[in-house]
Amino acid sequence: MNTTAPRINRCFKLAARPVGLPKRSDWHYEQHPVAEPAEGQILVQVSHISLDPAMRGWMNEGKSYIEPVAIGDVMRAGAAGHVIASRHPRFAVGDAVVGVFGVQEYALSDGKGVNKVDTQLVPLPVYIGTLGMPGMTAYFGLLDVGQAREGDTVVISGAAGAVGSVAGQIAKLKGCRVVGIAGGADKCRYLVDELGFDAAIDYKADDLRKALRQHCPKGIDVYFDNVGGEILDQCLAQLTRGARVVICGAISQYNNTTAVKGPSNYLSLLVNRASMTGMVVFDYAPRYGEAMREMAGWMAAGKLKSREYIVNGLDTFPEALLKLFAGENTGKLVLQVAD
Amino acid sequence: MNTTAPRINRCFKLAARPVGLPKRSDWHYEQHPVAEPAEGQILVQVSHISLDPAMRGWMNEGKSYIEPVAIGDVMRAGAAGHVIASRHPRFAVGDAVVGVFGVQEYALSDGKGVNKVDTQLVPLPVYIGTLGMPGMTAYFGLLDVGQAREGDTVVISGAAGAVGSVAGQIAKLKGCRVVGIAGGADKCRYLVDELGFDAAIDYKADDLRKALRQHCPKGIDVYFDNVGGEILDQCLAQLTRGARVVICGAISQYNNTTAVKGPSNYLSLLVNRASMTGMVVFDYAPRYGEAMREMAGWMAAGKLKSREYIVNGLDTFPEALLKLFAGENTGKLVLQVAD
């Protein structure tokens, strides 16, 4: 690389708090020369940006599990890339790294929350997917919050997405009966044929209530919810006694312009002495290593599959993000911005 | 008593499944001669019938934690009375007993689920209130499901009712900050002045959101929900991280003719890594003794107060039951049918 010509960083900043689905005008697309790292900093060339449903929540004002992205700030995003300049003792030029680098092509970082990864083991994008935040969410949500055990019937919504597809595979590996809910026949085939789910329900085509009864004749022991809304309600109606509902997300509600739809069937929790528990993956940071080791082992043995849905070009970010809410991606949605 | 003249039992049977609030026409009022107990049976003269919000649920068709009352059956109810004839080795004439005797004046029983109680210790109605099902619900709901601990801020809805008033007092005894939600100034005064709650909110007069913020400046660690609806939603919005929501009942929703209002703010569970767990008191039957001992000790020491709201006469049952849903009772609603 020619380090004498100034590098240009392109980035997306939050311009306005969206109402409903984020529009182009909610973003500022900017270009700036890239600064050199100061003492204790690294400069990362980002290659893959993680696009996650949670990002929609970070764009809202108000108290949540994390500070909202401020108007005028580079949009927050997990990402992967390589160190191209370092004045930090822990990092060297050429290191492959993951961190919260934001929606941009170059990131300066003090190294906090940045981890080196081994691209000999698995390709770089896997570290922001199956072995990244979505994978950690699936692992701890299913096993720790949901307490899924051998013989349990586990139902997963958003099952073809980054979190759901991993959660379902882990549930199978742990000896559960696994039923995925996804939108469209292709996704459903993928779940059963490629990932080994016991059954898949196409919520766009099937009668959800009937299909749940058919595929979960003993009821649902663990419901891993990524979507909220009507699907949450239907699953609540089929809980077994002592069932666990994991509230991981509610993608059907994130772009509401009216109130969130609360689960009308929540009294099924009472009837069935069941629980509904929310989770935020960051709480499990001290235990990521444990999950990474087990999951990397499964991947090496071919028992855990990872699929990325790659979109190219930083400038496509506003439209690429919307694919999540339109349900266009199967597997982890990744915005590739460099080779 | 003259045992030669036939005794007449008066009872209420379920005539129809109510739509909304139960009407007179949903009941059959009948009179029949009382049969003598067969071998292994006792005859109980009922004196106090427990009127509970849960009874509304038992009148509905469909799967629940207990079989619905069948059309034509005597309405199910907990009750207390005295054995007046016995062909059962465990019971003698004169024994004070509690059991599920139904809405009637005389009950034949095989003794299953019938317990002898000591009326020297506390008056008989207390055994269907503070030391009965409502008290057990309060004890295990608060301490076992809700995991209330010293220093926690505990909010209780339906706080002047049979369950709520006991739950709040136990929370105080365990060193919690306790805020009750009830309807009307009299109930609120009762909670604070007589039961020692730290604060009470009159949901009919106060701005609930503001009042919760004022009285729970650190947020809600345990929310014990007896009412559902808007109050549940407002409390969800004030949870602390790791908070526990106990779903004990939802009296605001039991007479709905439209769908139950699901809690729109349920995603607060996610943000706060909180849980919402349903309970049914019957599950704790093996541990009732443990709770009874501790609670009887508190009562003897004057630390736990019991209040009954007595309505007289079996024939008033249909109207008496409605007092629960109109919020007319403070303390345990009891239908007295004999001295």
Side-chain angles (χ1 to χ4, degrees):
Chain A
M1 268 172 286
N2 182 352
T3 52
T4 54
R7 283 194 191 86
I8 298 297
N9 181 35
R10 300 188 300 160
C11 68
F12 277 93
K13 293 180 173 175
L14 188 62
R17 306 229 170 264
V19 177
L21 283 171
K23 303 175 297 295
R24 259 276 167 184
S25 59
D26 296 326
W27 304 108
H28 274 313
Y29 178 60
E30 295 186 7
Q31 308 193 25
H32 302 279
V34 177
E36 291 299 312
E39 184 58 35
Q41 285 191 324
I42 54 174
L43 178 62
V44 175
Q45 180 172 16
V46 173
S47 57
H48 299 88
I49 297 172
S50 177
L51 301 186
D52 299 286
M55 293 167 77
R56 180 63 188 85
W58 303 342
M59 299 169 75
N60 293 335
E61 213 154 21
K63 190 190 160 216
S64 187
Y65 61 93
I66 193 170
E67 284 293 304
V69 175
I71 298 291
D73 276 5
V74 173
M75 180 61 196
R76 183 189 294 139
H82 288 85
V83 175
I84 56 169
S86 176
R87 295 182 67 189
H88 190 295
R90 199 156 62 83
F91 298 94
V93 169
D95 282 350
V97 289
V98 294
V100 183
F101 298 133
V103 181
Q104 57 185 346
E105 293 176 316
Y106 294 91
L108 281 170
S109 166
D110 61 7
K112 278 187 197 136
V114 176
N115 289 300
K116 288 191 271 192
V117 296
D118 181 356
T119 55
Q120 301 296 309
L121 214 58
V122 297
L124 191 51
V126 175
Y127 287 105
I128 54 171
T130 301
L131 294 184
M133 235 43 107
M136 299 296 106
T137 303
Y139 185 94
F140 292 106
L142 182 78
L143 301 178
D144 202 87
V145 182
Q147 294 283 312
R149 295 289 174 262
E150 190 176 342
D152 280 349
T153 296
V154 175
V155 173
I156 297 169
S157 60
V163 174
S165 61
V166 177
Q169 291 181 82
I170 296 175
K172 281 305 298 174
L173 284 161
K174 295 291 184 181
C176 304
R177 173 173 177 75
V178 181
V179 177
I181 304 174
D186 285 347
K187 286 182 181 176
C188 287
R189 261 193 303 275
Y190 169 66
L191 295 178
V192 173
D193 295 347
E194 295 196 39
L195 302 187
F197 282 46
D198 294 287
I201 299 172
D202 177 359
Y203 73 87
K204 292 181 176 171
D206 299 339
D207 178 326
L208 187 54
R209 185 166 164 277
K210 275 193 197 164
L212 283 169
R213 285 176 176 234
Q214 179 194 336
H215 295 302
C216 310
K218 297 180 192 165
I220 301 171
D221 298 304
V222 178
Y223 172 53
F224 193 116
D225 189 32
N226 293 304
V227 303
E230 180 62 20
I231 293 176
L232 170 57
D233 248 339
Q234 290 293 344
C235 288
L236 280 169
Q238 305 298 330
L239 298 183
T240 60
R241 188 157 164 179
R244 288 82 67 198
V245 176
V246 182
I247 301 295
C248 174
I251 198 169
S252 74
Q253 306 294 307
Y254 289 167
N255 293 292
N256 280 5
T257 51
T258 55
V260 165
K261 179 191 169 353
S264 295
N265 290 331
Y266 84 102
L267 286 172
S268 174
L269 298 176
L270 187 159
V271 169
N272 294 299
R273 299 80 154 166
S275 64
M276 186 152 96
T277 306
M279 76 164 296
V280 173
V281 69
F282 306 137
D283 298 348
Y284 295 89
R287 294 175 57 195
Y288 286 168
E290 163 195 332
M292 292 276 281
R293 274 188 298 279
E294 188 163 20
M295 292 169 73
W298 286 328
M299 290 192 77
K303 294 177 181 172
L304 175 61
K305 293 181 185 170
S306 185
R307 177 154 159 180
E308 293 78 38
Y309 183 104
I310 307 272
V311 178
N312 276 287
L314 187 89
D315 53 316
T316 66
F317 164 70
E319 293 74 33
L321 184 65
L322 298 185
K323 291 181 186 290
L324 290 168
F325 307 112
E328 288 180 38
N329 57 304
T330 297
K332 171 67 191 151
L333 183 63
V334 172
L335 184 65
Q336 182 162 357
V337 298
D339 292 330
Chain B
M1 268 172 282
N2 181 352
T3 51
T4 54
R7 284 193 190 86
I8 298 297
N9 181 35
R10 301 188 299 162
C11 69
F12 277 93
K13 292 181 173 175
L14 188 62
R17 307 231 170 261
V19 177
L21 283 170
K23 303 175 298 296
R24 258 277 168 185
S25 60
D26 295 325
W27 304 107
H28 275 311
Y29 179 60
E30 295 185 7
Q31 308 193 23
H32 302 279
V34 176
E36 291 298 311
E39 185 58 36
Q41 284 192 323
I42 54 174
L43 178 62
V44 175
Q45 180 172 17
V46 173
S47 58
H48 299 87
I49 296 171
S50 178
L51 301 186
D52 299 285
M55 293 167 77
R56 180 63 187 82
W58 304 342
M59 300 168 74
N60 293 335
E61 214 154 20
K63 190 190 159 216
S64 188
Y65 61 91
I66 194 170
E67 285 293 302
V69 176
I71 299 291
D73 276 5
V74 172
M75 180 61 196
R76 183 189 293 142
H82 289 84
V83 175
I84 55 169
S86 177
R87 295 181 68 189
H88 190 295
R90 199 157 62 83
F91 298 94
V93 169
D95 282 351
V97 288
V98 294
V100 182
F101 299 131
V103 181
Q104 57 185 348
E105 292 176 317
Y106 294 91
L108 282 170
S109 167
D110 62 6
K112 277 186 199 139
V114 176
N115 289 301
K116 287 191 273 192
V117 297
D118 181 357
T119 56
Q120 301 295 308
L121 215 59
V122 298
L124 190 52
V126 175
Y127 287 105
I128 54 171
T130 301
L131 293 185
M133 234 45 103
M136 298 298 106
T137 304
Y139 186 94
F140 292 105
L142 182 77
L143 301 179
D144 202 87
V145 183
Q147 293 285 312
R149 295 290 174 261
E150 190 175 343
D152 280 348
T153 295
V154 175
V155 172
I156 297 169
S157 59
V163 174
S165 61
V166 177
Q169 292 181 81
I170 296 174
K172 281 305 299 175
L173 285 160
K174 296 291 185 183
C176 303
R177 172 173 178 77
V178 182
V179 178
I181 305 174
D186 286 348
K187 287 182 181 175
C188 287
R189 261 194 304 275
Y190 169 67
L191 295 178
V192 173
D193 295 348
E194 294 194 40
L195 302 187
F197 281 46
D198 294 288
I201 300 171
D202 177 359
Y203 74 88
K204 292 181 177 172
D206 299 339
D207 179 325
L208 186 55
R209 184 166 164 276
K210 274 193 196 165
L212 284 170
R213 285 177 176 233
Q214 179 193 336
H215 295 303
C216 310
K218 296 179 194 167
I220 302 171
D221 298 303
V222 178
Y223 172 52
F224 192 113
D225 189 31
N226 293 304
V227 303
E230 180 61 20
I231 294 176
L232 170 57
D233 247 338
Q234 290 292 343
C235 289
L236 280 170
Q238 305 299 328
L239 298 183
T240 60
R241 189 158 163 178
R244 288 81 67 198
V245 176
V246 182
I247 301 295
C248 174
I251 198 169
S252 74
Q253 306 295 308
Y254 290 167
N255 293 293
N256 281 5
T257 51
T258 54
V260 164
K261 180 194 167 349
S264 296
N265 290 329
Y266 85 101
L267 286 172
S268 174
L269 299 176
L270 187 158
V271 169
N272 293 299
R273 300 79 154 164
S275 64
M276 186 152 97
T277 307
M279 74 165 295
V280 172
V281 69
F282 306 138
D283 297 347
Y284 294 90
R287 294 176 57 194
Y288 286 168
E290 162 195 334
M292 292 277 279
R293 275 188 296 279
E294 187 163 20
M295 292 169 73
W298 286 329
M299 290 192 79
K303 294 176 181 172
L304 174 61
K305 293 180 185 169
S306 185
R307 177 154 158 182
E308 294 80 37
Y309 183 104
I310 307 272
V311 178
N312 276 288
L314 187 89
D315 53 317
T316 66
F317 165 70
E319 293 74 33
L321 184 66
L322 298 186
K323 291 180 185 292
L324 290 168
F325 306 112
E328 289 180 36
N329 58 304
T330 296
K332 172 67 194 154
L333 183 62
V334 172
L335 184 64
Q336 183 162 356
V337 299
D339 292 332

